[in-house]
Each structure stands twice: as structure tokens, then as C-alpha cells.
Amino acid sequence: MSGIAGIIRFDGAPVEPGLVEKMTAAMPYRGPDGINHWVKGSVALGQCMLRTTPESLEETQPLANEDESIVLVMDGRVDNWEELRRELLGRGAALRTRSDAELVLRAYETWGRECLAHIDGDFALVVWDARRQEAFCARDRVGNKPFNYSWDGKTFIFASELHAILELPGIKAVFNECMLAEYLADEWYSRDETFCNGVLRLVAAHQLVVDAGGARMERYWQPDLWAKLPCKNDEEYIEHYRELLADVVRRMSRSHQAVAYEVSGGLDSSALFAMAEHLRCQQNIPAPAIKGYALDFHDDPNANELNYSRAVGQHLGVPIHEIPPTEMPVSWYRKWAERYREFPGYPNGVMAIGLRTAARQAGCRAIVSGVGGDEWLGMSSTGAYYAEELAAGQWRKVYACLQADGRELGIRKTLWWLCRYGVVPLLPEPIKAPLRKVRRVDKRDPWLSSHLQETLERRRSQLYKPVPVRLQRRAQGMQIQILEGAFDAMARESEERLCSSLQLELRKPLFNEKLIQFAFSTPERLRSRGHTTKWLHRQALKGLLPAL
């Protein structure tokens, strides 16, 4: 399930022998369980296999239907495999195996390009449809699986990683100075460019159809800003969230081997591990075992979280394996960038290499991360709930917030919060604009050349996109920026690449589309109260974790 590559020529010429094999050979770590190819005339597809579920033991890719009119390559996992299987069987589909790839192939046969609405999970996929003479490509809703491609009007080339595409003759590795400017300034705008001109990334939640007439891209999913949850009070929100979290954790724990869980001193990864252990005790988790891992910073008091991770282990009655953080020299980052032609990541990501290596050596094929907790459970502006409730005219809820904050903050600070974070954000734009102008600082990066500085300024004006005007809640603007942020997209791809290089599949339940939709539909007063962040999450995890 860990890597795809392909070459499709639309000028009728056959693909030169050995080319797609050269691409998959550049990603051997993505295929420890085998690398296979399907070549027919002008189409050559390859897949690198990492088996991470019981169903994947029955899977071979590239996967074709009976007459080879449809061929699929996919790096992915279907998290609604139970429901999708029932739905397809109900429609008369003939499932030859239990594999996720079989489900996706039959879903495309059944619904065509509309199949993505029926598939939940992390995936990057390409379907070659010989009947239509077109390639149907898609990337999951959040961008947890990578997808790079090149299209020159005649030949479509794709791969999980950029350097696999650059292995081909005729692909010129021309450095993208625009991405260099963004990288050096730490000011990210592009979600589809790579560090190589002419090679692009398919943006999350988008599908791409390529044929002789060209390439057409379309967005197939985005959160519903106006969706209402069936919750009448705080208790119902808490119960709804707990049930949703349990379901997502169960689905993402599917494996034929033990599943590794990162357990830090925070509320996110620890909560996922605790929920998984709770489900395991109920015999309701589709994995033979789960294993907890924590980074051991005992010699650094500023980073040491062992007391809490140990408390989690003691509370649950299970061991947490403590692994020293990994430190790499600067030369390692240089070599990584040279090899993969990509941003090499940050030390606070690389420090988990030892932990993840230990998990892989223990037989784990998948590792679960708590990334996403800050973004969707607690990243709200101080006192943002005042502006939200005032704008909605929810005076009783404003009063309830005042009472709660008054008990914690005192009446003077609470009234200040009401004015600063409730009234001021709702002032008319003609009043707020001069205030922003006074506070604005001309941002120039002294280490950029004048040429790169000019390049960056052009990027600001060309690629910056304001948040849509019509929002149900003010905080949704920040949530959209998180979901569609260029830096966040790059960071997710960088972490996925690092895990794949260790022959591990990275899974992030808190970046699941259902939990993201829940966040878009949840009032801010449930996300934070006073100085307490992740309030609803804390309430839902009571009993599963030590006292928070």
C-alpha cells in the first residue's frame, strides 16, 4: 500500500521498456512486500507493496478487472471497508478478494468518477480506463498520501515521490526558485508546486482526469460550513464526539500486525492510545495488539514528558516503550534533500526516527500519530467564543460564558475579554482597517537576495487567497486556513515520506475527514473556556486518561 508510479502516453506510442521499472526501483522502501508492474502498449503502471491490513494479504497491484479495460494502482487504505463491501455486494458487484484495492476498482466500475463519494480513507490512486482512453486520478481529502505528476500535453507521468519522476530521461530537473523563496522565508503559498519546475503535486481533495484533450482538475470534497450536528447541549456534543473518536480509532487500528501508537505528554496521542486500549479490552479493535511508544527526554527538563506518558501507562495497566530522540547532523539533511529533491524536514520531526524504527523492528507495519489535535480540537483564538455568540445573537450563551470565565479569570479580566475578543472583532471594517494598518510591519527577509525577495512578493499577490466571506462561525476562517495551508500540506507530505522510508504506514485519526467536519460544526465555546483548551476533548476522555 505504499507507492505508485506510471507513464501514460496519449500520442499512441508505446512506453519504452524498463522506464516504469526504473521509477519503482527508486522507491524500494515503499515496496518491501513486492514491486509489480502492468505494461500494455502506451500504458505502464507500477506499484510498491507494503501490506498493513489483513485484507492486503490478498492484494496484488496493479489490479485489473476481468477484461483489463480498467486497471488500478493505489497507495491507500479504505477505512469504510465494511460499509463499502456491503454496498457493492448489494449492487451486484463481483468481489474476487477482500482487498481494499478490489473495493476501489469495483467502486469505479459501479459509480465511475463519482466513486470518491463512497470511499473514506487515505489514498492516492490512478485508474486507467481503456474504454474512455483516460486516466482518473485522485488524492484523499486531507492529503495524507502523496501524489506527484508531470503532464506535457502528450505524456502523463505520476509517482508517489518526486525523485522517482526525475529518474526518467527527458524530465529536466530545473530548480523552482519560487519554492526556494517560500522555503527560505518560511512563508508558504503554493500547494501544488514542487522544488522542480514542471512537476506538480495533486492538491488534497481533488481529482484529475487526463486524456488526449488535456488535463482537467476538480475539487470533490470540502467541509460543509453550514452542517448542523444533532446535539442540543454540551453533554450531547461530548457523547457524539466520544463515539466518533472511538469509531475513527477503531477503523485506523486495522492491521494484521501490532499497531504502534505514539504516546507523548499531551492530550492527543495519549488520548488515541487510551481509546485504542479501551477498544482492545472490549475486543473491538481489528488488530492483534497495540504498542505504545514515547520519546525519552529525561535529560532535558524543558522537553521531558515521561511523567505523564508513564502515568498514562500506569492508568491503563500497559507498558509504554521509551525511546531516546534521534539527532541527525546537518549532513544528513543535506543528503536527504539531494536524494529526494525535497524539503528534508525539521529536527522536531526527525527526532522520532528512532522511535519509529523501534516500532518497525517490533513487527509493526502502521504507526498512529496524534497530529491534528491542536488544529481541530483546540486551536482557537483567545475568547473567540464571545465574538461567535455575539454575532449569532446567542445572549444566553454569552452570559453563560461570562459566568464561567468570571469564576476563573475574575470579573475585570472577563469584561476585558468580552470587549477585546467579542466586540472588537465585530466592529465595521472601516474602523478595523486603519488599526491593522498601524500594526502592520513590512516583512522583508534579509537573507533573501533582491531577486528572491521580488519573487516572494509576487507570490504574495498572486497566490494569497482570502477566506470565503460567508461563514457560519467566525472561527471557520482559521480552520479553512489550517486545512488549506501550504505549509501544513508540505509538512504532512514530509512526515509521510519519513515514515515510508522506514517501511511504516503513518495514520492520523485526528486528521480524519469526519473529525474535521465535526470541528467545523462545533461552537467555539466547546473548544476552549477561559485558559482551558480542548475543553470538549478533555470531557470526552474522562476515565480513559489520568486526571487531566
Side-chain angles (χ1 to χ4, degrees), residues 288-321:
I290 60 172
K291 297 178 181 289
Y293 292 85
L295 286 174
D296 179 358
F297 283 99
H298 71 274
D299 57 348
D300 186 350
N302 294 319
N304 187 16
E305 297 178 335
L306 287 178
N307 286 340
Y308 189 81
S309 60
R310 288 171 179 172
V312 171
Q314 292 170 2
H315 181 78
L316 299 174
V318 297
I320 306 291
H321 304 282

